[in-house]
Structures are given as structure tokens and as C-alpha cells.
Amino acid sequence: MKPGWCLRALGIALAWAASCASAQQAEALGIHVHERSEAPAAAGVGYGAIRLWDSGTQWRDLEPEPGVLRLGELQARVAQARQAGQRVLLTLGATPAWASSRPRERCPYGWGCAAPPAELQTWRRYVRRIATEFAGRIECYETWNEVSFPDDPVLNARSRNGGGDPQFYSGTVQQLVALQRAAFEEIRAADPKACVLSPSFHSSGEWFGKLDRFLEAGGGAWFDRLSFHFYTGEHPPERAHAYVSGVRAVLARHGRGDVEIWNTETGVSFAAQPGKGAQALRDKVFGETLRTYLVNFGSGVKRLYWYAWDHDDELGLHRRSRNAGPVVEEAARATVAFLRGLKTVDCPQASADGLWHCTLRWGDGRVREVAWAAGAAAGRLPLPSADGAWRLWGRSPAEPPVHTAHRLDGRPVILDSPLTR
């Protein structure tokens, strides 16, 4: 049978809404590492970028007393990353209690860290000193982690939750815009080549409303790239496509539709959704790991940072975590190796049937196609007849043996040469 998709003949209609993520080089594959001793193992997997958060490098860690910088941990982390060839993204918050406008307010790291500083100049001095000290060594800065606006009247009028859980940021939209502008100006002055990300927005509460309010208040003038956390939780990875599209629509309304979107934090808790038996769990872990990257990159996300290599509980990738054990690390290694050197990812949006197809192109000219079905989708894929021309992702040797057709499910099918459609 001639290789081909023949999907029309099978009665499967795909709504092609092609998108392309370009220049997906090694730095597009980012990681978080909590303990510095674990960083070499994570770098050895092939992650080309690292985001420093939950790593002893927050503002409260680096300036525990007014004017006293303790940079040893950050110096070590940056040196370690650069030696491994990784690009460094530093998240600048959270506020030390001594500088906080609400030092007695509880926050995830103690007291006062979610509130903005009492004096904007205190923040300016801190950002200036960090950007000056690390000029040429830190690629990008992100101002704040997972912001919410608990007292915002517009968001409260809509949803009565002020935009979500304010555990990492509890100030106003206007205060955040002031912090963002100050950081942008200080970083530009100290290290003009460094890029500045927006605060990271996330899935708590009003997903798109928080970003809309920030841009409406003037925040869009003060960042180079947008940071968002596209966790999909109990939903399949394909849900991220709609999230990215929603964010892009908000950006377009404010004249920033062409800005790069970075997913600076995502992860999957496989331990919370176990498979039925070892092979089913393996297929689930391998499948959702690869699909997360392909859906993000195919939707236009330029960089993705997985959280986290050494998270000991439900989000860890290393084999000692409780997140489905060694198979998670095996899947992470295999996925990074598969994607290394990737140049572009073209993914059409799935139809209501949930069928996905991505065309992957590497810098060395290789082209592969990946197909799968999300959720309850079903369809049969005609396959090439030559041995080794296709494989079921995560299976070695390839299973099932070569057929004339294969029933698609959540396990991606890798086709080593492009098929005519």
C-alpha cells in the first residue's frame, strides 16, 4: 500500500490550523533544579536552559538584610550552568520581610514575600546591583513568579476571586506595572543585551483576565517576552493549545500579538494518575511527556521549562521522585534526545475528533512526522510497509510489528520519513 495518511478516505476530518514554532534549539528545552548538587545530572540529559526559582536565589535569599548581598549561591549556580552550556533565566522576586510593604503577611516562604516592597527605590537598587554583577552571564530576567491581583475591583466584579490565589504576589496591578518598569529600566541600563520577561501568569483564577489587566495598565511596554505557566493539571497536554491561543488573543488586543511566549513552568503529576499496569504507565508517561513539548512548540511557545528535575514529590523527573519512579526519568531523557537539534514544529490544531499530526524538522535536514489521538479520539493510520519506517514512541523494539494500519491513541506514532497526505 502506498504510504499516505488517506484520512479523508477514512472519514476523519482534520481542521488544519497550521502553526509553526521556529528555531527550537537546545535552549528551547529548559529545566528547574532545586538542589545545586542535582544540576549536573539534569544538564547531562541535554536541557539547554535553566530557570532559577526555588533554588535559593530569590530576592529574599540574596538580600536578607538591607544593602547586604549574599551572592554565593547565585554565583555558583550561574557558573555551573554556564560550564554546562545552559542559558540562565533568573526570577527576581520575592520580597525580603525587611523590605516588604506587609512584613506580617504570610507567604509560601515565610513572611512578607508576596507583597510588593514598601519603597520602589529599594527594588530598583537590588535589580541594578544584580544586573550589573551578572552582566553577560544571565541571559534573561523574570520579574515575579505567578502573580495574582486579590483586591482588583475589575477581576473581583467578574469572578469574586481577584484573579486567583495570591500566594506569590498579593499587590495591585498598578504596583506590579511599576515594579516591571523599574526592573526593565535598570536591567537595560546595566546589561543592554539581557532580555526581560513579564511576570509569570498562571492558571489560578482569571487566567486571561490577569494578563489583560496588566497590559491595560501599561505593563506591555516593559517586557521583551511573555512568561506564562501552562500547566494542564488533570487535563491532557493538548489543552495547552487553547491556553496559548487565549493568551495570544489577549496580547493581540493590546498590540503585542507578535511577542514571544515562553512557558517558564510546566509539569505533569503521573503519580496522581497511575496507569493500569507497568506497560500502561510507561506508555502514559512517555506519551504525555512528548505530547507536552509538541503541543507547546506547535502552538507557538518558543521555550519550555519543566518543573522540576528533583522535585521529590509528584512533579519530579529524576528516578528517586515519587512521580512514577524511574520511567519518568527514562521518558525525560528519551524526549530531550529526540528533540535535540529540532528547528521547527508544525502542528495542526486537532479536530473535534482529537486527532493530532505534527511535522518536525531538524537543522540537519531530517523530517519526521508524529501522530496521536487525544482523549476518546479514534482513527486508523495507514503505515508504510518497510521495516523500521515507523515506531510507537516509548516502545523498544517497536511494537506492534509493521501493519498496514494502526489504531491511533495517546501513544505517539513516530514516522521516520514524511508521508504524502
Side-chain angles (χ1 to χ4, degrees):
M1 184 176 185
K2 182 179 178 181
W5 284 87
C6 303
L7 293 177
R8 186 181 303 276
L10 293 169
I12 303 170
L14 286 176
W16 298 100
S19 59
C20 175
S22 61
Q24 299 295 348
Q25 302 302 328
E27 62 269 18
L29 308 173
I31 192 67
H32 294 78
V33 180
H34 296 327
E35 298 297 329
R36 181 159 34 106
S37 61
E38 292 285 346
V45 173
Y47 297 105
I50 188 167
R51 177 178 180 246
L52 297 182
W53 177 253
D54 287 336
S55 54
T57 55
Q58 299 169 359
W59 182 14
R60 59 184 294 276
D61 302 311
L62 302 181
E63 194 177 9
E65 303 173 53
V68 179
L69 289 185
R70 296 178 181 172
L71 301 181
E73 183 64 26
L74 182 55
Q75 294 275 18
R77 294 267 187 169
V78 171
Q80 189 179 53
R82 286 171 59 81
Q83 185 175 12
Q86 292 177 314
R87 301 193 181 194
V88 179
L89 167 61
L90 176 65
T91 304
L92 291 164
T95 313
W98 62 263
S100 178
S101 56
R102 289 184 294 278
R104 296 185 179 181
E105 178 184 83
R106 287 286 298 179
C107 65
Y109 306 103
W111 302 92
C113 61
E119 300 292 338
L120 188 61
Q121 281 303 116
T122 307
W123 167 252
R124 278 191 176 274
R125 283 193 296 270
Y126 164 70
V127 174
R128 183 186 314 140
R129 292 178 69 182
I130 295 297
T132 300
E133 176 68 26
F134 291 92
R137 292 185 287 161
I138 290 180
E139 179 198 20
C140 293
Y141 295 88
E142 178 185 67
T143 49
W144 220 272
N145 180 70
E146 295 190 352
V147 296
S148 291
F149 310 125
D151 299 319
D152 187 74
V154 175
L155 295 176
N156 278 322
R158 284 206 301 254
S159 63
R160 299 182 182 178
N161 70 354
D165 186 350
Q167 60 176 330
F168 296 109
Y169 180 77
S170 60
T172 67
V173 179
Q174 292 75 19
Q175 287 172 318
L176 185 63
V177 171
L179 291 170
Q180 183 70 31
R181 176 174 181 171
F184 185 91
E185 291 174 344
E186 297 298 340
I187 292 166
R188 275 287 182 273
D191 188 4
K193 293 184 179 180
C195 70
V196 181
L197 273 67
S198 72
S200 58
F201 295 86
H202 67 124
S203 59
S204 174
E206 287 268 355
W207 273 64
F208 309 129
K210 290 181 289 187
L211 174 60
D212 188 63
R213 292 286 291 135
F214 178 74
L215 297 174
E216 189 177 63
W222 309 110
F223 62 85
D224 302 310
R225 293 165 177 81
L226 182 81
S227 174
F228 218 100
H229 292 176
F230 294 112
Y231 284 102
T232 58
E234 70 276 11
H235 301 291
E238 291 73 26
R239 180 66 67 92
H241 179 82
Y243 296 160
V244 177
S245 298
V247 166
R248 184 67 72 189
V250 175
L251 289 167
R253 285 202 300 272
H254 293 275
R256 298 230 52 187
D258 59 346
V259 72
E260 282 190 11
I261 298 174
W262 286 14
N263 184 354
T264 57
E265 194 173 309
T266 198
V268 179
S269 176
F270 297 109
Q273 40 175 321
K276 297 178 180 179
Q279 187 60 63
L281 179 60
R282 178 184 176 85
D283 285 339
K284 184 177 186 64
V285 171
F286 267 79
E288 291 194 11
T289 301
L290 180 60
R291 285 156 53 196
T292 295
Y293 282 103
L294 295 185
V295 171
N296 271 265
F297 292 155
S299 299
V301 169
K302 298 299 183 182
R303 192 176 292 188
L304 185 152
Y305 293 83
W306 203 280
Y307 189 97
W309 173 257
D310 54 343
H311 191 272
D312 289 331
D313 295 323
E314 72 276 8
L315 292 176
L317 290 176
H318 71 63
R319 61 186 58 244
R320 297 186 305 280
S321 77
R322 292 195 284 272
N323 191 15
V327 68
V328 179
E329 182 174 333
E330 186 184 353
R333 290 181 179 277
T335 301
V336 171
F338 178 68
L339 297 177
R340 189 176 296 125
L342 194 62
K343 185 178 180 182
T344 64
V345 179
D346 294 304
C347 288
Q349 181 183 356
S351 69
D353 296 314
L355 297 169
W356 285 76
H357 159 238
C358 297
T359 301
L360 282 61
R361 294 180 174 85
W362 278 261
D364 60 7
R366 286 177 295 145
V367 180
R368 286 176 176 161
E369 307 214 4
V370 184
W372 71 90
R380 299 195 71 83
L381 171 69
L383 294 168
S385 58
D387 290 345
W390 73 280
R391 59 195 169 100
L392 199 58
W393 176 245
R395 298 287 187 96
S396 182
E399 295 180 20
V402 173
H403 287 192
T404 57
H406 170 70
R407 184 179 177 85
L408 291 172
D409 54 26
R411 300 170 296 175
V413 171
I414 312 294
L415 299 129
D416 291 330
S417 57
L419 302 179
T420 57
R421 291 187 285 277

